[in-house]
């Protein structure tokens, strides 16, 4: 198994010397009582409870299920037994810097075991992370947060724009404008390709429904391909103005 590595000009330290991965505790849904504290699973919040075992802000690591996921939780919380939560061992580590470093380690690559894949904390402890001086860590965190704010603002702007489009479309359908069947206004209506696809990049890229996000086609780098002729591809090629549904 190849251990993830972070390249840096700063001295690297073993993760196990910087922090510990503490086990979460079992908390079945039936035993939870209404309260303000998030219950943390391996991929984020899964409920709320009246008690907490980890003080916020907290770093939660997926142990089972979404093993290797790294989650930031601002509030006091209750990590359950499918997770670890982080406890720093030294004073010269900024918690949000540690969070960013852990995300870069790709802990999911360490998943193993039969049945539900899990993360062994002893494997994680052997990984190295750069440890610059505390002032540099704080500067890195400040810059990361600035980027996060830009991303959040862009996402908000996009969501508002899409909501505006939806409202305008709804207004059109609510109007008294005449309605026509699709086949009367389309040059053609046809099924998509049903050929076997591959992940090796052989042939032409094929869009699937899971690559339509928010009403837009999105190539996230995991598109499959179909090894078909140019003539066959021409039958299914998407052109500007086409609608996929």
């Amino acid at each position: 198994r190849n251990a993830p590595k972070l390249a840096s000009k700063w001295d690297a330290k073993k993760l196990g010397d910087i922090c510990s991965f503490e086990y979460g505790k079992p908390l079945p849904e039936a035993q939870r009582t209404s309260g303000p504290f998030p219950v943390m699973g391996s991929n984020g919040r899964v409920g709320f409870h009246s008690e907490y075992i980890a003080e916020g802000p907290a770093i939660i690591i997926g142990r089972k299920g979404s093993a290797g996921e790294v989650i930031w939780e601002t509030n006091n919380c209750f990590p359950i037994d499918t997770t670890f939560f982080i406890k720093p061992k030294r004073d010269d580590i900024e918690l949000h810097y540690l969070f960013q470093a852990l995300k870069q380690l790709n802990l999911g690559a360490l998943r193993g075991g039969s049945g539900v894949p899990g993360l062994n904390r002893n494997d994680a402890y052997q990984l190295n992370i750069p440890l610059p001086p505390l002032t540099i860590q704080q500067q890195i965190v400040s810059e990361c947060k600035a980027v996060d704010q830009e991303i959040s603002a862009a996402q908000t702007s996009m969501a508002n724009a899409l909501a505006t489009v939806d409202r305008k479309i709804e207004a059109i359908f609510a109007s008294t404008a005449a309605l026509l069947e699709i086949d009367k206004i389309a040059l053609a209506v046809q099924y998509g390709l049903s050929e076997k696809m591959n992940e090796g990049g052989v042939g032409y890229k094929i869009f699937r429904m899971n690559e339509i996000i928010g009403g837009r086609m999105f190539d996230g780098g995991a598109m499959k391909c179909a090894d078909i002729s140019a003539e066959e591809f021409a039958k299914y090629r998407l052109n500007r103005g086409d609608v996929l549904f």
Side-chain angles (χ1 to χ4, degrees), residues 20-93:
S20 63
F21 284 39
E22 302 294 319
Y23 285 105
K25 294 184 177 180
L27 186 64
E29 190 170 353
Q31 295 180 13
R32 300 171 195 170
T33 54
S34 180
F37 305 115
V39 177
M40 305 301 296
S42 60
N43 59 357
R45 293 184 176 187
V46 293
F48 289 87
H49 190 49
S50 59
E51 300 177 4
Y52 67 89
I53 60 173
E55 293 185 354
I59 302 173
I60 312 299
I61 307 292
R63 185 177 73 87
K64 292 286 186 180
S66 298
E69 288 293 315
V70 183
I71 303 155
W72 179 266
E73 174 53 54
T74 304
N75 303 309
N76 295 342
C77 59
F78 196 115
I80 60 174
D81 55 349
T82 59
T83 69
F84 298 111
F85 60 97
I86 296 298
K87 279 192 175 181
K89 291 183 176 180
R90 32 196 306 167
D91 296 329
D92 60 344
I93 184 76

Side-chain angles (χ1 to χ4, degrees), residues 229-240:
S229 66
E231 292 77 13
E232 185 74 1
F233 173 71
K235 297 178 184 177
Y236 298 97
R237 177 178 178 176
L238 293 171
N239 299 296
R240 185 180 296 276

Side-chain angles (χ1 to χ4, degrees), residues 5-6 25 27 31 36 43 45 60 69 82 94 103 127 137 145 154 167 169 172 184 196 238 244:
K5 297 179 180 179
L6 292 180
K25 294 184 177 180
L27 186 64
Q31 295 180 13
N43 59 357
R45 293 184 176 187
I60 312 299
E69 288 293 315
T82 59
E94 212 281 352
K103 287 202 302 181
L127 302 180
Q137 294 178 44
K145 287 183 176 180
R167 286 195 298 270
I169 292 175
I172 292 172
K184 291 183 178 179
K196 183 178 180 181
L238 293 171
L244 192 64

Side-chain angles (χ1 to χ4, degrees), residues 202-216:
V202 179
Y204 297 96
K205 286 185 176 181
I206 305 297
F207 268 103
R208 296 165 295 164
M209 291 307 297
N210 60 343
E211 280 137 1
I212 302 176
I213 301 174
R216 300 291 186 270

